[in-house]
Amino acid sequence: FYVARPYLRSAPVVLSASPSRSEPGQTISLSGTGFDASVASNTVQFGDRTATITSAAPDKLTLVIPPDLTMPPGGDVQIVVTTGGKPGKPFPFKWYRAPRVTSLEPDVAMPGQEVLIQGQNLDGRPLTVSVGGMPAEVKEAVPASVRVVVPNLTVAQGQAVPVNAQIGPDSAKPQNLTVGYLPLVM
């Protein structure tokens, strides 16, 4: 029985992923059947990349999405769980790369002036940028930067206002822009 047991096992089945969409490098959980309770006996593939499994149970696997996953953002990647050498059916999983803002150039500007927002994953659609809660006109957007025009704000010089970049439902962490002329003495 113990010799034949691995051959009698049915292939693993993924029923759901939590969260249902995530980005590379993040931790997710897979629920299903036929997983092994030993981390080493399970393998999870995201396309051609292997995930790092952090915990395992017969009905749940916790893992880290491969950080080097390279497929078109916003698309599906097929997850395949292999347990005891038996691969399960592919499970479609939505993944994305969230926008990230790292800096503003210049970080001091007046309404009507252009500001270069630098970061990562800034070329998705639909792209919206707000400055101080008001929509900003986007002049140019590429993966590493977005050039916007500061809208007509009614704030005093020297006041900091948040700059928010959003692609679809995903927002970057806001950066502060100080309203004023360069050089600005505080």
Side-chain angles (χ1 to χ4, degrees), residues 99 101 104 115-118 121-142 145-151 153 161-168 170-175 177:
V101 174
L104 303 175
V115 173
L116 183 66
I117 301 168
Q118 294 195 354
N121 311 316
L122 297 171
D123 62 337
R125 297 288 178 256
L127 169 66
T128 57
V129 177
S130 66
V131 177
M134 296 183 65
E137 177 188 354
V138 176
K139 291 285 197 173
E140 176 186 21
V142 294
S145 65
V146 176
R147 185 172 302 282
V148 299
V149 176
V150 178
L153 302 170
V161 294
V163 176
N164 296 304
Q166 184 171 341
I167 297 173
D170 305 312
S171 294
K173 182 179 175 185
Q175 294 285 318
L177 173 73

Side-chain angles (χ1 to χ4, degrees), residues 12 25 28 38 70 72 148 170 172 179:
I28 66 167
S38 166
T70 54
V148 299
D170 305 312
V179 176

Side-chain angles (χ1 to χ4, degrees), residues 62-82:
T62 303
L63 52 104
V64 177
I65 298 173
D68 60 346
L69 190 61
T70 54
M71 293 181 71
D76 284 347
V77 62
Q78 299 296 318
I79 298 174
V80 176
V81 176
T82 302

Side-chain angles (χ1 to χ4, degrees), residues 12 14 28 30 42-53 61 63-66 68-69 71 76-83 87-93:
V14 177
I28 66 167
L30 299 178
N42 299 288
T43 304
V44 179
Q45 293 287 128
F46 280 76
D48 63 347
R49 301 284 194 256
T50 303
T52 302
I53 301 171
L61 296 175
L63 52 104
V64 177
I65 298 173
D68 60 346
L69 190 61
M71 293 181 71
D76 284 347
V77 62
Q78 299 296 318
I79 298 174
V80 176
V81 176
T82 302
T83 301
K89 290 184 180 178
F91 180 81
F93 181 75

